[in-house]
Amino acid sequence: MLFNSYVFLLLFFPVIFLGYRFLVRYTSFQAAKAFLVLGSLYFYGYFKPSYLIILILSIIINYLLCCQIWKSDRTAMSGLMLAIGCILNVGILGYFKYTGFLLENIYALFGKDFSGFSILLPLGISFYTFQQLSFIIDAYRGDNKSISFVDYALFVTFFPQLIAGPIVLPGEMLPQFNDPQRKSLSWQNMNAGLYFFACGLMKKCFFADTLAIIADTGFNSGTPLSLLEGWLVSLAFTFQLYFDFSGYCDMAMGIGKMFNIDFPLNFNSPYKSANFQMFWRRWHITLGRFMMNYLYIPLGGNKSGMVRTLINLLIVFIVSGIWHGAGWLFLLWGGLHGLGILINRVWSKVVLKKYPALELPYIPAVIITFFFVNLFWVFFRATTLKRAYEIIYSMLNFANASGISKAFRDAIEEYGFDKDLIFFVSGAAVFIAFVLPNSFEMNEKLKTHPYFRMLLTVVFATLGFLCVGRLSPFLYFNF
């Protein structure tokens, strides 16, 4: 089920929210949490009920393994359960996400055609697998103690973050689920939650889905692009992804707020970053945190010298690239970002220590960082290396510096939108991403002005609701 759909906005959310509040008030907190679990499972299985089998089996098996770890208390048995849990979770993720990719490359290696085999990727499997991995590892470390099955199931399935994050940790969610002070309806949280949700709905429906028209026109076409068209197409996708993922994060945070649950910040104006390290501290923050805690640090982190640190960082970003998708382009995209991180680290730790005067001012540093981030997104979006090369070639081909062709404009208008309006939305998107405070910063400023925040909520919700009919999934649903 999509947040940006009429069935969610007008039916599912009102029923699940009112039902939860009724059960909290007239029955028990545990019954209300069980209701949330059932509602979340319905939310997950709405499009394809068969997905539920994998999710439910995964939850049951992981919970049983954690129970055994709690009983064993750091004995050899608990280590065995941890190993089984890690192998099982990574194995399931690997099977569904990477089997087709591996077989395709094996067939290609032997010069054979690969066709007729496909495995449907269950929604959100990358996200709920990582959450369960974090839980079972923390259970082995002793960072979390025995909890009820309902609490564990709610930790995994809570619908605002089930399909596309944020990737939350047990220590930040479980105490909230059991905090008696969070039982009561909070009008302050409702105000903030509605603001975040409306802001996210506008970002997704009004901005991201409009920018997608330009991006799809260029990436899905096999025709050559002019210099201006190449930049327009690449930037359209860069900001489509920004508003799509930012919109999801806002909506998830808003829904959580309305249930008195605070999610960790997952998106923080990444295009204002002055280097790649700053970018990854602002883009998909909880994924970076997971990779840091459960991959980078176990690999040795930065404790074994500069060379080993650089190798560990490169491994982390290659894994991050593969996590986003099974394909060479995702691997290349992750490797390029890893290379950017390596260059930034050497520059800051070695060069600037000797020559501090070489440090770039903030604005030029942001422009340079954004140039490469935008360039790398081409590999992320393109379906073939050939098309990625064609787009990048057009962006650097100053010999073809013509304007936007009539064919390109006509292709945009085939979607039923006025081309001038789309270009206006594109300009507004750039201004919002680079100049205005983000939704989290704005909310902090508006805490003392609740009525103005309510007015903005109405405006944002109206803009978003007007475009809900264009129903499209969030891009991160594919990962």
Side-chain angles (χ1 to χ4, degrees):
M1 190 180 298
L2 301 175
F3 294 161
N4 54 317
S5 64
Y6 290 120
V7 68
F8 179 87
L9 294 168
L10 302 179
L11 184 61
F12 176 82
F13 183 74
V15 169
I16 202 78
F17 181 77
L18 293 174
Y20 173 78
R21 294 259 41 106
F22 176 85
L23 290 172
V24 166
R25 183 165 184 176
Y26 294 106
T27 60
S28 69
F29 203 12
Q30 200 70 1
K33 288 189 289 185
F35 175 75
L36 266 187
V37 171
L38 293 174
S40 297
L41 291 174
Y42 177 83
F43 172 86
Y44 182 79
Y46 179 76
F47 282 132
K48 196 168 183 63
S50 59
Y51 287 153
L52 282 171
I53 299 172
I54 301 164
L55 175 60
I56 292 171
L57 284 175
S58 175
I59 290 170
I60 292 171
I61 293 170
N62 275 282
Y63 181 72
L64 292 175
L65 289 171
C66 286
C67 287
Q68 190 60 51
I69 288 174
W70 289 321
K71 289 179 184 177
S72 304
D73 194 24
R74 300 286 293 193
T75 63
M77 178 59 73
S78 65
L80 177 62
M81 294 299 103
L82 172 66
I84 292 172
C86 290
I87 292 170
L88 196 63
N89 282 290
V90 174
I92 291 172
L93 181 61
Y95 172 75
F96 282 103
K97 200 162 186 175
Y98 306 109
T99 300
F101 173 66
L102 290 173
L103 289 177
E104 182 181 1
N105 283 278
I106 291 170
Y107 271 68
L109 188 64
F110 291 97
K112 295 184 178 181
D113 181 52
F114 177 77
S115 60
F117 178 84
S118 63
I119 299 175
L120 195 62
L121 182 67
L123 281 173
I125 190 169
S126 298
F127 292 92
Y128 69 71
T129 298
F130 271 22
Q131 279 193 205
Q132 296 195 95
L133 270 173
S134 71
F135 193 96
I136 200 168
I137 293 170
D138 285 359
Y140 176 77
R141 291 173 176 174
D143 294 338
N144 59 55
K145 300 301 180 183
S146 180
I147 62 170
S148 71
F149 178 74
V150 170
D151 282 354
Y152 178 78
L154 184 57
F155 166 74
V156 177
T157 65
F158 189 38
F159 72 91
Q161 44 91 82
L162 173 58
I163 297 178
I167 301 170
V168 295
L169 301 178
E172 64 193 0
M173 297 303 294
L174 294 174
Q176 295 189 70
F177 289 147
N178 292 295
D179 183 358
Q181 294 184 348
R182 295 177 185 267
K183 290 183 181 180
S184 303
L185 181 66
S186 167
W187 291 110
Q188 183 177 355
N189 281 344
M190 284 296 297
N191 191 333
L194 288 169
Y195 162 78
F196 276 117
F197 188 86
C199 191
L201 187 68
M202 176 190 67
K203 286 179 179 179
K204 166 61 178 169
C205 298
F206 185 76
F207 284 100
D209 289 351
T210 301
L211 293 165
I213 296 170
I214 300 175
D216 291 347
T217 297
F219 277 100
N220 296 345
S221 169
T223 59
L225 302 175
S226 68
L227 176 71
L228 183 57
E229 288 169 348
W231 276 99
L232 186 62
V233 166
S234 68
L235 288 170
F237 176 71
T238 290
F239 287 100
Q240 176 200 354
L241 185 57
Y242 178 98
F243 283 96
D244 190 281
F245 189 44
S246 174
Y248 182 92
C249 292
D250 282 352
M251 282 191 264
M253 185 176 288
I255 296 168
K257 281 278 187 188
M258 286 185 268
F259 284 96
N260 295 330
I261 298 296
D262 295 319
F263 286 129
L265 185 64
N266 202 30
F267 198 91
N268 188 19
S269 300
Y271 292 165
K272 296 177 182 178
S273 303
N275 55 59
F276 276 92
Q277 185 177 9
M278 188 183 296
F279 175 82
W280 279 103
R281 286 176 177 171
R282 292 167 170 256
W283 179 280
H284 210 328
I285 299 167
T286 58
L287 174 63
R289 179 182 64 177
F290 181 93
M291 291 293 182
M292 176 69 67
N293 291 340
Y294 300 103
L295 183 59
Y296 178 70
I297 292 175
L299 285 171
N302 59 358
K303 295 182 179 180
S304 302
M306 176 64 79
V307 174
R308 184 61 193 177
T309 298
L310 296 179
I311 292 172
N312 292 341
L313 286 168
L314 188 59
I315 291 171
V316 165
F317 279 91
I318 288 174
V319 171
S320 295
I322 296 172
W323 177 87
H324 279 85
W328 290 110
L329 288 172
F330 288 109
L331 185 68
L332 178 59
W333 172 79
L336 288 170
H337 272 272
L339 183 61
I341 288 284
L342 266 55
I343 292 171
N344 174 72
R345 191 169 187 90
V346 172
W347 179 262
S348 61
K349 298 292 184 181
V350 179
V351 177
L352 291 183
K353 275 192 173 182
K354 290 185 177 180
Y355 310 103
L358 291 177
E359 185 169 6
L360 286 173
Y362 175 71
I363 292 179
V366 169
I367 293 171
I368 292 171
T369 302
F370 178 77
F371 172 83
F372 285 104
V373 167
N374 178 67
L375 202 67
F376 297 165
W377 281 135
V378 174
F379 296 102
F380 190 90
R381 170 61 178 83
T383 54
T384 64
L385 185 60
K386 179 176 180 291
R387 190 54 182 165
Y389 166 77
E390 290 170 349
I391 299 263
I392 291 175
Y393 177 78
S394 70
M395 294 167 65
L396 304 175
N397 182 20
F398 290 92
N400 186 17
S402 58
I404 301 172
S405 67
K406 183 178 184 302
F408 191 88
R409 292 174 181 268
D410 290 344
I412 290 175
E413 290 191 331
E414 284 182 7
Y415 286 90
F417 286 87
D418 180 75
K419 58 183 180 298
D420 295 325
L421 174 62
I422 291 177
F423 295 144
F424 169 78
V425 170
S426 303
V430 174
F431 180 77
I432 291 170
F434 280 108
V435 179
L436 295 183
N438 60 42
S439 54
F440 180 79
E441 293 167 337
M442 185 66 76
N443 181 64
E444 291 298 307
K445 294 180 179 180
L446 293 174
K447 279 184 176 179
T448 55
H449 305 283
Y451 293 107
F452 182 61
R453 184 167 60 182
M454 289 173 63
L455 176 62
L456 286 179
T457 298
V458 172
V459 173
F460 295 160
T462 302
L463 284 173
F465 207 85
L466 287 173
C467 303
V468 165
R470 286 191 271 171
L471 197 64
S472 66
F474 292 88
L475 295 175
Y476 260 77
F477 278 20
N478 299 320
F479 309 136

